[in-house]
Amino acid sequence: MTHCVEGELTPQSPAKTSCGEVAPCCDRNEGHSSPRATQGERRLACGAEHGTGCEEDLFFVSTKRRRFLGMEQLAKDLFEIGAVKFGTFKLKSGITSPFYVDLRVAVSYPRVLRSIAALYLECLQDFSSAFDVICGVPYTALPFATAMAVQGDLPMVMCRKEVKDHGTRRVVEGAFTQGSRCLIIEDVVTSGSSILEVVGALRAEGLKVDHAIVLLDREQGGCEALLGQGIGLRSVFRISNLVGTLRNLNLLEPGKVDMILDFICTARAASDVKRPETNVPSALPVAASSSSPVRDQLYSIAEKKRSILCVAADVQSTKELLGIADAVGPHICVLKLHADIIQDWTTDTSRRLRELADKHSFMLFEDRKFADIGNTVVAQFSAGVHRISSWADIVNAHAIPGPGLIEGLRHACAISGRMIGLLLVAQMSSNGNLIDERYTATCLRMAREAFPFCIGFIAQERLDPTGKLFVMAPGVQLDSKGDQLGQQYNSPEYLLKRKGVDFLIVGRGIYGSEEPAKAAQMYKELSWSVLHG
Ligand code: 6AU
């Protein structure tokens, strides 16, 4: 997962649909006209933060649909021209791979080149950062960047691979100034090293580089490696969704798909092994970088505030919610809420909550427990009254619908242009719940595959021995063993020491007490001292 800062919406480039017609150029900045960005202030337009009416949802749906159709057609084209092949291939590294990608051939097919450029341009909508120029990574991405520059009217620079020993000896060709912001265009990312090479050269020449777009992410750790160097990566395709699209088009047999997905998982696990782990059991919190900005932010807040406490503010009015948030704010690292039980929820509720989160430095966790198909959760996450993706830092979901749900949430998160982390509900605190060990183990596998978008679990015990995927445990109270409706409570000591969980969620034990601020302070200090002696 990659993220970008929030920002204003700006005009988008016209994009070709799969049928070849030019889709209308939409502008949500002012709601009506579609002025083009000036050369000096080009922006990567982003998602659903602005506007309010249903025309925005229609915009959102048609944009999504257009992109989906474009991706489907391009997947088919890439397969047909042999840019993506399936079989048995020996890679440079010596590994045998069930697929092979060589996008160089695309230059011989003008229609494919146009579709590639159109999809890169569509991808710009996932960002909100400004940029001045684009730069293709030599050589394969050079024609792609050029097509994009022509189609999207974007200025471009070129970074030389070899510097000539005569003439100007320039490393970066084209018009730019010190501090020009550059967006990198790449064809395929594996480890991220080619992009980093170009980033280094551009930065050395005084350009600012924060983002890259790739046509295909092979999902082998490149995205995380780039994030570690301050480069947010967007991809048109990830290899798993390219493979999924081809399967849906009956171009790949299900047996082959499974083999390819297994290969991707194994390759990703191998790249994980090489990455230093940031956590060890029972040594919390640790703030070292984990390649997940949301996780890192949480750990950094926890460390600074000496708090692993999340308060569940299950109240029913904006006034109560804001009151609790302000009272317990100094003692918590996360405030969890159920937006759908707030009777008078408006956009003002989320705005004021965010203000309190900034004032006291805590994260906002919407306990939505998404549990539907991917297409539905995209809308549940970003649209409707609550517009969760516009304000939440953390959300949770049941794993039962399968990976499509995570994919949908990740997609909606990208569109929002905000950093949001996902927790899978891998175990529940309620008596008689239907989750068994096999289900929990599957959640662990799914979460690993979805890291760094998925950052952990709602569970009752440590699940990932490395601690990279952390556990927030609900069902915590000192004065009660449970309620009349099946909730079961354990003590902080039991969950932290015996079960190895990382964060505690306390609801009624705090907001139901006479003095929530005092109760929060007590739970905070107690849980911290259990961990740190
Ligand atoms: O401390 P309580 O019982 O007042 O509140 C516990 C909070 C509630 C539940 O909706 C939530 O934690 N919860 C969850 C979550 C967070 O997903 C899962 C679970 O298994 N049990 C549970 O209580 O807001």
Side-chain angles (χ1 to χ4, degrees):
M1 179 189 67
T2 58
H3 299 286
C4 64
V5 289
E6 283 175 71
E8 73 203 58
L9 291 166
T10 48
Q12 294 143 20
S13 310
K16 296 253 174 195
T17 66
S18 63
C19 335
E21 79 273 14
V22 176
C25 184
C26 306
D27 172 36
R28 294 187 296 156
N29 197 23
E30 298 298 336
H32 306 292
S33 64
S34 178
R36 301 193 64 87
T38 64
Q39 182 156 326
E41 188 59 13
R42 272 160 218 286
R43 278 188 179 271
L44 309 176
C46 85
E49 184 71 356
H50 293 245
T52 46
C54 60
E55 73 282 4
E56 176 149 326
D57 291 340
L58 283 176
F59 169 90
F60 172 64
V61 169
S62 65
T63 305
K64 221 177 70 181
R65 178 90 191 132
R66 188 177 64 212
R67 194 187 299 189
F68 173 76
L69 290 174
M71 285 173 67
E72 200 176 62
Q73 181 62 45
L74 182 61
K76 193 161 169 253
D77 289 341
L78 293 176
F79 182 74
E80 279 169 4
I81 66 173
V84 183
K85 294 187 177 119
F86 300 96
T88 306
F89 304 92
K90 191 110 174 155
L91 302 182
K92 238 193 312 184
S93 57
I95 296 173
T96 304
S97 166
F99 64 90
Y100 185 74
V101 183
D102 182 358
L103 295 169
R104 277 171 287 208
V105 66
V107 294
S108 305
Y109 300 86
R111 188 175 63 77
V112 176
L113 204 52
R114 270 198 300 276
S115 312
I116 290 174
L119 280 166
Y120 277 122
L121 289 167
E122 283 276 337
C123 223
L124 297 188
Q125 295 165 31
D126 295 349
F127 294 76
S128 58
S129 309
F131 70 99
D132 304 298
V133 290
I134 62 171
C135 177
V137 176
Y139 290 103
T140 311
L142 273 180
F144 297 173
T146 311
M148 191 181 165
V150 173
Q151 218 158 299
D153 196 16
L154 304 170
M156 174 174 143
V157 294
M158 285 194 305
C159 187
R160 285 186 174 278
K161 235 182 151 147
E162 307 87 11
V163 180
K164 290 193 296 183
D165 57 4
H166 59 278
T168 59
R169 298 188 179 187
R170 286 168 66 109
V171 178
V172 182
E173 304 283 0
F176 65 93
T177 53
Q178 289 290 309
S180 286
R181 293 154 300 182
C182 182
L183 171 72
I184 304 276
I185 309 300
E186 173 63 306
D187 62 328
V188 181
V189 69
T190 307
S191 67
S193 58
S194 304
I195 292 181
L196 287 176
E197 242 174 70
V198 171
V199 169
L202 292 169
R203 285 181 176 164
E205 293 295 308
L207 285 113
K208 282 176 76 181
V209 195
D210 301 319
H211 291 97
I213 300 186
V214 65
L215 189 69
L216 180 70
D217 177 358
R218 291 181 60 117
E219 299 179 72
Q220 278 158 38
C223 177
E224 291 79 6
L226 289 167
L227 252 187
Q229 301 297 316
I231 306 291
L233 182 79
R234 297 284 154 149
S235 50
V236 173
F237 288 106
R238 287 182 301 107
I239 185 69
S240 51
N241 63 26
L242 178 68
V243 165
T245 306
L246 292 172
R247 179 196 49 207
N248 294 343
L249 292 168
N250 289 327
L251 294 171
L252 257 182
E253 300 143 25
K256 270 197 182 160
V257 171
D258 288 346
M259 219 172 75
I260 295 162
L261 294 180
D262 280 352
F263 172 82
I264 297 168
C265 284
T266 315
R268 193 163 27 197
S271 80
D272 264 3
V273 169
K274 283 181 231 137
R275 218 179 294 141
E277 294 300 348
T278 59
N279 208 350
V280 289
S282 306
L284 289 162
V286 174
S289 171
S290 67
S291 313
S292 161
V294 182
R295 182 191 189 280
D296 292 349
Q297 191 188 349
L298 173 62
Y299 274 73
S300 149
I301 292 174
E303 200 166 34
K304 272 194 204 117
K305 294 176 83 174
R306 298 166 68 84
S307 172
I308 51 165
L309 178 63
C310 164
V311 164
D314 295 343
V315 291
Q316 295 182 15
S317 71
T318 295
K319 191 170 170 229
E320 287 171 286
L321 177 64
L322 298 176
I324 293 279
D326 206 15
V328 304
H331 309 296
I332 61 176
C333 56
V334 177
L335 185 85
K336 186 181 82 62
L337 61 146
H338 288 282
D340 56 358
I341 62 176
I342 307 288
Q343 286 154 5
D344 55 351
W345 182 277
T346 65
T347 48
D348 202 45
T349 311
S350 52
R351 188 186 56 75
R352 290 168 68 193
L353 254 188
R354 279 246 56 100
E355 279 171 9
L356 288 172
D358 293 341
K359 174 179 162 193
H360 295 298
S361 180
F362 59 76
M363 298 177 88
L364 291 175
F365 171 8
E366 165 54 23
D367 187 356
R368 178 62 182 76
K369 293 193 187 70
F370 295 103
D372 215 317
I373 59 167
N375 187 55
T376 304
V377 297
V378 171
Q380 288 176 325
F381 192 21
S382 27
V385 178
H386 298 110
R387 302 174 67 89
I388 297 165
S389 65
S390 73
W391 54 267
D393 301 303
I394 299 172
V395 291
N396 56 356
H398 286 292
I400 197 150
L405 166 140
I406 299 179
E407 198 49 44
L409 292 175
R410 193 194 331 239
H411 176 76
C413 174
I415 285 173
S416 80
R418 297 187 61 255
M419 293 193 284
I420 304 169
L422 173 70
L423 303 179
L424 282 186
V425 181
Q427 291 174 333
M428 293 201 70
S429 61
S430 47
N431 185 19
N433 73 73
L434 305 183
I435 294 179
D436 61 15
E437 278 176 14
R438 205 166 137 236
Y439 181 86
T440 304
T442 307
C443 288
L444 175 59
R445 186 171 51 76
M446 283 170 69
R448 279 187 173 145
E449 283 165 18
F451 184 84
F453 174 52
C454 184
I455 52 176
F457 308 97
I458 295 296
Q460 295 291 296
E461 63 189 338
R462 178 175 288 264
L463 300 179
D464 175 10
T466 70
K468 183 170 82 178
L469 291 156
F470 63 79
V471 169
M472 278 199 182
V476 184
Q477 223 189 109
L478 287 167
D479 304 330
S480 166
K481 286 272 157 237
D483 66 14
Q484 306 294 309
L485 297 172
Q487 175 68 303
Q488 304 175 113
Y489 290 120
N490 284 299
S491 69
E493 182 144 31
Y494 174 80
L495 286 163
L496 292 166
K497 275 243 144 75
R498 302 265 299 272
K499 294 295 179 178
V501 309
D502 305 302
F503 297 88
L504 299 179
I505 299 175
V506 184
R508 285 164 282 184
I510 290 177
Y511 75 80
S513 77
E514 280 183 8
E515 292 183 86
K518 265 197 180 161
Q521 185 174 1
M522 187 272 288
Y523 274 100
K524 166 195 146 174
E525 286 170 1
L526 173 68
S527 51
W528 190 262
S529 70
V530 167
L531 277 187
H532 295 88

